[in-house]
Amino acid sequence: MDPIQTLVKNLAEKHGRSRESVLPILQGVVEQENFLSERSMIEIAREIDIPAADVYGTATFYSFLETKPTGKFIIRVCKTITCAMKGKNQILFAIQDMLKIRLGETTPDKQFTLLETNCLGWCHKAPAMLINDEIYTELTPEKVREILSAYMKVNQNH
């Protein structure tokens, strides 16, 4: 068995082989692989014995399940009206300027991917962004530059 088959088999043994298991298995693959490849989705369908289209449909429905390779750090900027009114665009410009990428892109060194997402649940402290599982609120362009600098520094030390 190749690594994807082994991963999917182990996740299916942990979560079960029913339709209700698709989402936790997808999440487990993303946790390990950083995204859902076509191959991993086909393997999940085979293991659970459901159509690959159903797995793909589930994977593409949820914005936090990536179906293309991403950077080590996924930056998700909230795109709600509240964040927009409180300066989301300045935050996006600061990130794009610092990382030299646009929305939907990944830095050439594969460290950062920049995405917009629906509500992060922090409207009362807008604008907000998520970097992997870490939330950052009440952002300013200066605060964003400090946050990204810290991630860049940590990354250089590894």
Side-chain angles (χ1 to χ4, degrees), residues 62-130:
Y62 293 97
S63 67
F64 280 70
L65 294 174
E66 299 305 322
T67 55
K68 60 183 187 196
T70 60
K72 179 178 178 183
F73 302 109
I74 303 173
I75 303 166
R76 299 177 196 273
V77 178
C78 183
K79 65 178 179 181
T80 62
I81 189 72
T82 306
C83 282
M85 289 171 55
K86 294 208 172 182
K88 176 217 37 149
N89 286 342
Q90 291 92 317
I91 301 312
L92 268 179
F93 290 140
I95 296 167
Q96 291 172 334
D97 182 58
M98 189 165 179
L99 298 179
K100 306 293 184 231
I101 58 172
R102 293 190 300 258
L103 271 174
E105 294 181 344
T106 299
T107 54
D109 64 2
K110 305 276 186 256
Q111 292 305 304
F112 297 94
T113 296
L114 178 59
L115 303 171
E116 274 189 319
T117 192
N118 288 316
C119 189
L120 293 170
W122 288 87
C123 300
H124 61 295
K125 292 191 174 199
M129 74 176 175
L130 194 64

Side-chain angles (χ1 to χ4, degrees), residues 3-79:
I4 291 291
Q5 285 176 310
T6 303
L7 174 61
V8 170
K9 186 177 188 314
N10 291 342
L11 289 166
E13 284 170 6
K14 178 179 177 184
H15 298 291
R17 286 179 172 80
S18 65
R19 268 187 191 278
E20 293 76 31
S21 307
V22 172
L23 190 55
I25 292 171
L26 289 168
Q27 290 170 316
V29 171
V30 169
E31 208 172 274
Q32 292 297 308
E33 300 291 313
N34 218 22
F35 80 106
L36 295 162
S37 65
E38 189 176 308
R39 166 114 172 67
S40 65
M41 289 187 271
I42 290 169
E43 191 55 38
I44 291 167
R46 192 195 59 71
E47 186 69 36
I48 296 179
D49 195 27
I50 62 171
D54 291 2
V55 175
Y56 182 77
T58 303
T60 55
F61 178 79
Y62 293 97
S63 67
F64 280 70
L65 294 174
E66 299 305 322
T67 55
K68 60 183 187 196
T70 60
K72 179 178 178 183
F73 302 109
I74 303 173
I75 303 166
R76 299 177 196 273
V77 178
C78 183
K79 65 178 179 181

